[in-house]
Amino acid sequence: MKTECSVVRDLLPLYVEDMVSPETAQYVKSHLDECPECQSEYESLKEGAELVSIEKKPMSEVTE
């Protein structure tokens, strides 16, 4: 794995949660646009984050 990929993958959990600076977000986004392997990793993390978000909602909101 390239060093750049390693750095981006370390940042992905924070990127998914929107907890990086705008400059870091741009760096990660630019890399994801060029790297299908990291893009796949990002999609997996994003899906997991969405599931956790749904699980945290009150049942009244989930069943509507």
Side-chain angles (χ1 to χ4, degrees):
M1 179 183 319
K2 296 184 295 186
T3 301
E4 186 175 357
C5 291
S6 181
V7 170
V8 167
R9 288 184 185 194
D10 285 348
L11 292 170
L12 281 178
L14 295 172
Y15 179 77
V16 167
E17 296 293 329
D18 197 27
M19 297 176 67
V20 295
S21 69
E23 294 84 8
T24 301
Q26 182 58 45
Y27 172 78
V28 172
K29 183 180 180 322
S30 295
H31 180 79
L32 293 176
D33 289 343
E34 301 295 323
C35 181
E37 292 85 10
C38 289
Q39 177 68 30
S40 177
E41 182 75 18
Y42 165 69
E43 293 297 331
S44 294
L45 284 171
K46 190 170 74 169
E47 288 174 16
E50 290 171 358
L51 289 175
V52 169
S53 176
I54 290 170
E55 291 172 359
K56 289 184 178 180
K57 287 186 177 182
M59 284 304 292
S60 60
E61 291 181 28
V62 173
T63 57
E64 294 177 353

